């Protein structure tokens, strides 16, 4: 009897497990989005389709303020993280080997390894002192904190793109009278752009979604979308929460889809 | 115009150091089609990279038009490269690739456009000027790479095995094309290949390299007729190597003697290696000044225009003769026959008895 090649799909139970995972992952989201269109006030009690809760959300000052904070925070943190990650990736792949190259790689990726709550507690202790000393209670702390854990997410696609890039292209540019800066601008950067875009979007979503760090480090009166939602959950449970969650989900999905399209198109 | 003096390149340090070039010295003249020929790993690419400026030399001088450029950065050298992998910019069109160098030099737009058109016409790629370079066939990429390197009018064009990725037919076409381009532009070419036939058909002069050392620099004809050592003799064309004794102006192989061929008046007497090309081995008596021996036929290989007769001398030395096939000839020899063979005196080459 000829032996059949190993095929993971033929293992008993794999299909069941996969379907189970999908159900657990997506059914609650479908229910959540469905409920956001519920005309009734009481959760779980269906009274017909309506955009009522979306309208309510868009007139909710607290929600709008939180959304604004979140978008600003995510944009700035992702921007700084992407710039830092791009430089780190260039330094670890393009410069001649130097001492401590491995260390840079490790430091950049460290936030992926350290439990977020540990980092949050550590920052909380330090930043409490700083806040007291300086009196500054603005968004800066959150931007700094979000930037740290966004860097590895921005770094991964950028570095992958750089490693896949043919080094002889930069050599060719130098051969053709291009200065280092001209080479970077005309050759390296355009080829790296899809990776940078993907890195930025990944970082943006990760920041937008963060609860632990934001909840620990926000100053009084500051709310991001996730911390606002947490607070609302405890206070008044209306279908408006579903509408807001659906909006958040929509933004994330759009951005992930955009980043996927960006990396696919030019790759 | 380009003088390379004692150029040495070492990679790595200490025990793991690799010396890719050992004191290479050569001079290249204006307008020459100069070829670096040698087996893979002999240092051809390394020498080219040193000339282009991608690597600093470990020692020696690189003098272009009277100026030492050994440490000049690549973007300041009037030297351009056609890379083995072409290295076209995938996000640019054919025309943008060709215009890259001129734009990097900050030439005016009108001039860039004019030169690009001229170069595209030269390599017959005008119709594909707006195609992305990633969407080209191998032969087309080759042409674009050539046009891109020619556009800024370098003093020297370096070509690193530019034809090795092409199939046989395209390769022959591009050989002709390249030679035409070189003659039309009058540019100096330094061409790298490991293919001896390619080197022989295209070059004005060839430098044969092995193990990071120059073996011989000569015209194709000289290289074939008068190889200076055993490596060159066996790398270029086919050769028979025979053990011989040199004594008092005579040369003796298995008891048969002839006068030393002219130009080989080596000082010492003793054992030497004699080389003879298969097409010069005569089956039969040969001219009166020939060395005459007997050989046993082992194998006949038919090649259409000629037949290779593989034989063995009495002492076991293998010997190949190449005999032209007559229009209506019968068998030249039969396997197992003992046949007389002759080596005409002027076909014999004495080689120094070193290395294999
Ligand atoms: N960057 C490098 N580091 C270490 N060794 C190298 C490097 N480049 C080339 N070499 C070595 O130098 C020798 C010559 O290589 P190369 O010039 O590429 O040969 P060729 O082009 O004739 O095939 C080889 O032994 C190769 O391994
Ligand atoms: Mg090579």
């Amino acid at each position: 009897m000829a032996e059949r090649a190993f095929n993971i799909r033929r293992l008993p139970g794999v299909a069941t497990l996969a379907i189970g995972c999908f159900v657990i992952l997506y059914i609650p989201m479908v229910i959540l989005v469905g409920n956001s269109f519920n005309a009734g006030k009481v959760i779980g009690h269906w009274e017909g389709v309506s955009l009522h809760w979306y309208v309510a959300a868009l007139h909710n000052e607290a929600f709008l303020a939180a959304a604004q904070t979140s978008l600003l925070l995510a944009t700035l943190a992702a921007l700084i993280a992407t710039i830092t990650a791009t430089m780190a990736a260039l330094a670890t792949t393009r410069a001649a080997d130097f001492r401590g190259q491995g260390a840079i790689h490790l430091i950049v990726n460290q936030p992926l390894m350290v439990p977020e709550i540990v980092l949050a507690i550590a920052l909380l202790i330090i930043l409490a002192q700083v806040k007291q000393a300086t009196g500054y209670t603005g968004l800066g702390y959150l931007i700094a904190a979000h930037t740290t854990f966004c860097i590895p997410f921005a770094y991964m696609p950028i570095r992958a793109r750089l490693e896949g890039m043919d080094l002889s292209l930069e050599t060719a540019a130098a051969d053709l009278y291009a200065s280092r800066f001209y080479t970077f601008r005309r050759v390296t950067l355009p080829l790296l752009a899809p990776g940078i875009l993907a890195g930025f979007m990944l970082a943006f979503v990760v920041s937008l979604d963060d609860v632990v760090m934001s909840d620990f480090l926000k100053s009084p009166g500051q709310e991001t979308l996730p911390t606002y939602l947490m607070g609302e959950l405890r206070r008044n449970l209306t279908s408006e929460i579903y509408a807001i969650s659906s909006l958040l989900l929509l933004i994330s999905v759009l951005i992930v889809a955009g980043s996927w399209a960006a990396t696919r198109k030019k790759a | 115009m380009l003088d390379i003096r004692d150029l040495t390149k070492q990679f790595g340090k200490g025990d793991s150091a690799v010396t890719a070039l050992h004191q290479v010295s050569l001079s290249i003249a204006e307008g020459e089609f100069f070829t670096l020929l040698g087996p893979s790993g002999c240092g051809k690419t390394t020498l080219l990279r040193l000339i282009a400026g991608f690597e600093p030399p470990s020692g020696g001088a690189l003098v272009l038009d009277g100026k030492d450029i050994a440490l000049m950065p690549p973007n300041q050298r009037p030297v351009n490269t056609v890379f083995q992998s072409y290295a076209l910019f995938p996000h640019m069109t054919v025309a943008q690739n060709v215009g890259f160098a001129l734009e990097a030099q900050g030439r005016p737009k009108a001039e860039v456009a004019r030169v690009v058109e001229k170069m595209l016409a030269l390599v017959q790629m005008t119709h594909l000027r707006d195609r992305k370079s990633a969407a080209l066939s191998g032969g087309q990429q080759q042409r674009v790479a050539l046009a891109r390197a020619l556009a800024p009018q370098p003093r020297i064009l370096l070509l690193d095995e530019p034809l090795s990725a092409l199939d046989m037919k395209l390769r022959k076409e591009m050989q002709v094309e390249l030679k035409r381009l070189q003659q039309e532009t009058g540019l100096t070419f330094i061409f790298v290949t490991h293919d001896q036939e390619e080197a022989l058909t295209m070059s004005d002069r060839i430098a044969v390299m092995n193990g990071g050392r120059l073996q011989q620099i000569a015209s194709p004809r000289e290289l074939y007729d008068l190889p200076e050592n055993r490596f060159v003799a066996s790398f270029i064309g086919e050769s028979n190597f025979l053990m011989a004794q040199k004594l008092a102006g005579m040369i003796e192989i298995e008891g048969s003697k002839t006068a030393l061929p002219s130009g080989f008046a080596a000082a010492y007497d003793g054992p030497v290696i004699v080389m003879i090309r298969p097409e010069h081995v005569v089956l039969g008596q040969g001219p009166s000044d020939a060395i005459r021996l007997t050989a046993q036929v082992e194998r006949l290989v038919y090649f259409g225009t000629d037949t290779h007769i593989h034989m063995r001398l009495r002492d076991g030395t293998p010997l190949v003769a190449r005999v032209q096939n007559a229009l209506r000839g019968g068998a030249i020899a039969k396997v197992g026959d003992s046949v007389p063979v002759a080596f005409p005196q002027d076909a014999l080459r004495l080689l120094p008895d070193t290395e294999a």
Side-chain angles (χ1 to χ4, degrees):
Chain A
M1 203 177 82
E3 246 183 83
R4 260 199 254 150
F6 176 74
N7 185 341
I8 197 158
R9 278 183 291 179
R10 292 228 175 77
L11 279 181
V14 166
T16 325
L17 194 65
I19 292 169
C21 284
F22 270 100
V23 168
I24 293 171
L25 194 61
Y26 287 107
I27 293 290
M29 278 204 256
V30 172
I31 293 174
L32 178 140
V33 174
N35 269 303
S36 72
F37 295 106
N38 188 359
K41 192 173 169 66
V42 184
I43 280 176
H45 185 71
W46 187 259
E47 289 180 27
V49 179
S50 144
L51 286 177
H52 172 77
W53 295 114
Y54 285 91
V55 176
L58 293 178
H59 286 93
N60 178 343
E61 296 289 332
F63 159 68
L64 290 178
Q68 203 186 353
T69 306
S70 262
L71 290 178
L72 184 67
L73 172 61
T75 306
L76 289 175
L79 197 67
I80 301 170
T82 306
I83 292 170
T84 315
T86 303
M87 293 193 293
L90 282 170
T92 50
T93 54
R94 282 303 183 272
D97 284 4
F98 56 89
R99 275 173 66 106
Q101 213 166 358
I104 287 193
H105 197 73
L106 212 67
I107 290 168
V108 164
N109 285 309
Q110 170 266 348
L112 292 178
M113 265 75 97
V114 176
E116 195 183 356
I117 187 115
V118 175
L119 197 57
I121 291 171
L123 279 172
L124 176 68
I125 295 166
I126 294 168
L127 293 186
Q129 309 275 329
V130 177
K131 278 184 197 181
Q132 207 153 41
T134 61
Y136 171 71
T137 55
L139 202 54
Y141 304 108
L142 282 181
I143 292 171
H146 278 220
T147 301
T148 56
F149 67 77
C150 280
I151 287 174
F153 290 95
Y155 180 75
M156 283 184 297
I158 295 172
R159 166 138 186 156
R161 184 94 193 162
L162 266 178
E163 279 181 338
M165 204 187 289
D166 188 357
L167 256 181
S168 68
L169 294 179
E170 282 151 345
T171 310
D175 187 56
L176 296 163
Y177 311 104
S179 63
R180 274 171 174 248
F181 179 69
Y182 193 82
T183 302
F184 180 72
R185 192 162 66 77
R186 288 284 312 272
V187 178
T188 315
L189 198 57
L191 289 171
L192 194 55
I196 293 178
L197 197 63
F200 175 83
M201 287 177 167
L202 211 55
F204 187 91
V205 170
V206 168
S207 163
L208 197 66
D209 177 52
D210 176 75
V211 181
V212 176
M213 202 72 92
S214 304
D215 201 43
F216 271 61
L217 302 180
K218 65 184 176 154
S219 304
Q222 259 177 2
E223 295 287 2
T224 65
L225 261 185
T227 62
Y228 169 74
L229 278 174
M230 294 263 291
E232 285 300 284
L233 269 176
R234 292 197 197 99
R235 267 172 276 144
N236 41 352
L237 206 61
T238 69
S239 291
E240 191 181 332
I241 285 180
Y242 289 143
I244 293 173
S245 303
S246 298
L247 286 174
L248 193 57
L249 182 66
L250 182 70
I251 296 175
S252 299
V253 168
L254 282 182
I255 287 174
V256 169
S259 114
W260 182 75
T263 39
R264 235 180 73 99
K265 201 174 64 193
K266 290 197 185 169
Chain B
M1 138 180 160
L2 181 67
D3 276 305
I4 295 172
R5 293 184 205 137
D6 294 327
L7 204 63
T8 299
K9 180 66 189 179
Q10 201 167 27
F11 290 107
K13 288 198 186 79
D15 291 343
S16 62
V18 178
T19 306
L21 292 176
H22 295 267
Q23 305 205 318
V24 170
S25 294
L26 52 90
S27 285
I28 295 167
E30 184 101 47
E32 207 173 6
F33 196 118
F34 191 91
T35 297
L36 300 172
L37 173 67
S40 172
C42 73
K44 307 180 296 290
T45 297
T46 304
L47 181 51
L48 224 52
R49 288 177 62 84
L50 289 183
I51 299 173
F54 307 143
E55 308 266 2
S58 313
L62 204 59
V63 182
L64 177 64
D65 298 327
K67 210 169 115 204
D68 192 345
I69 58 163
L71 297 173
M72 189 188 269
N75 60 351
Q76 290 170 20
R77 298 188 190 199
V79 167
N80 289 142
T81 309
V82 175
F83 291 85
Q84 196 164 1
S85 58
Y86 311 140
L88 296 179
F89 305 122
H91 57 300
M92 296 184 196
T93 65
V94 166
Q96 285 170 334
N97 265 283
V98 175
F100 185 89
L102 297 169
E103 280 179 11
Q105 287 175 320
R107 306 274 189 88
K109 269 209 167 66
E111 186 193 339
V112 175
R114 189 169 50 74
V115 175
V116 166
E117 287 316 313
K118 196 174 127 199
M119 288 301 140
L120 287 175
L122 191 67
V123 298
Q124 293 151 20
M125 286 291 292
T126 308
H127 59 297
L128 293 174
R129 63 189 311 293
D130 294 320
R131 185 82 68 86
K132 276 269 159 64
S133 66
L136 297 175
S137 74
Q140 292 166 339
Q141 290 191 25
Q142 167 77 75
R143 285 161 187 276
V144 178
L146 252 171
R148 184 180 71 173
L150 286 171
Q153 293 191 293
R155 291 282 289 138
I156 305 179
L157 191 71
L158 309 174
L159 303 104
D160 192 359
E161 310 210 19
L163 307 181
S164 62
L166 306 179
D167 63 48
M168 200 46 145
K169 186 170 168 296
L170 199 53
R171 198 175 167 141
K172 296 273 182 231
E173 276 174 36
M174 284 307 293
Q175 285 180 6
V176 176
E177 185 95 339
L178 262 183
K179 187 74 193 172
R180 173 184 71 85
L181 259 170
Q182 193 261 339
Q183 281 165 345
E184 250 170 55
T185 55
L187 208 65
T188 310
F189 275 34
I190 303 182
F191 181 87
V192 163
T193 182
H194 62 259
D195 180 341
Q196 48 125 344
E197 194 186 312
E198 196 165 278
L200 289 177
T201 55
M202 299 176 76
S203 321
D204 294 326
R205 279 195 308 153
I206 301 171
V208 182
M209 293 175 68
N210 187 34
R213 287 174 213 275
L214 272 184
Q215 302 295 314
Q216 187 174 355
I217 305 177
S219 69
R221 170 126 218 176
E222 242 178 85
L223 220 48
Y224 188 81
D225 283 348
L226 296 167
E228 273 172 11
N229 62 40
R230 190 165 174 161
F231 177 82
V232 175
S234 56
F235 194 74
I236 299 192
E238 284 167 59
S239 315
N240 294 297
F241 296 106
L242 307 161
M243 294 305 296
Q245 288 291 329
K246 178 167 130 13
L247 199 66
M250 299 291 281
I251 179 137
E252 179 196 324
I253 303 173
E254 287 194 3
S256 178
K257 282 187 201 172
T258 187
L260 205 58
S262 58
F264 290 100
Y268 60 91
D269 283 348
V272 289
I273 292 177
V274 164
M275 189 278 279
I276 182 165
R277 299 286 187 190
E279 64 270 27
H280 296 147
V281 174
V282 179
L283 261 72
Q285 291 303 306
S288 59
D289 61 357
I291 285 185
R292 295 188 179 127
L293 301 172
T294 313
Q296 180 114 24
V297 178
E298 291 196 327
R299 204 149 47 87
L300 298 170
V301 185
Y302 179 73
F303 274 91
T305 56
D306 46 27
T307 298
H308 292 195
I309 305 169
H310 292 256
M311 297 169 283
R312 226 168 251 287
L313 294 179
R314 227 169 320 161
D315 67 354
T317 312
L319 180 73
V320 181
R322 183 185 293 179
V323 179
Q324 239 183 6
N325 291 323
L327 190 55
R328 209 177 293 115
I332 302 157
K334 285 203 308 292
V335 172
D337 280 358
S338 254
V339 293
V341 290
F343 307 146
Q345 189 230 19
D346 58 0
L348 298 176
R349 301 286 175 259
L350 258 67
L351 302 177
D353 187 9
T354 51
E355 68 178 315

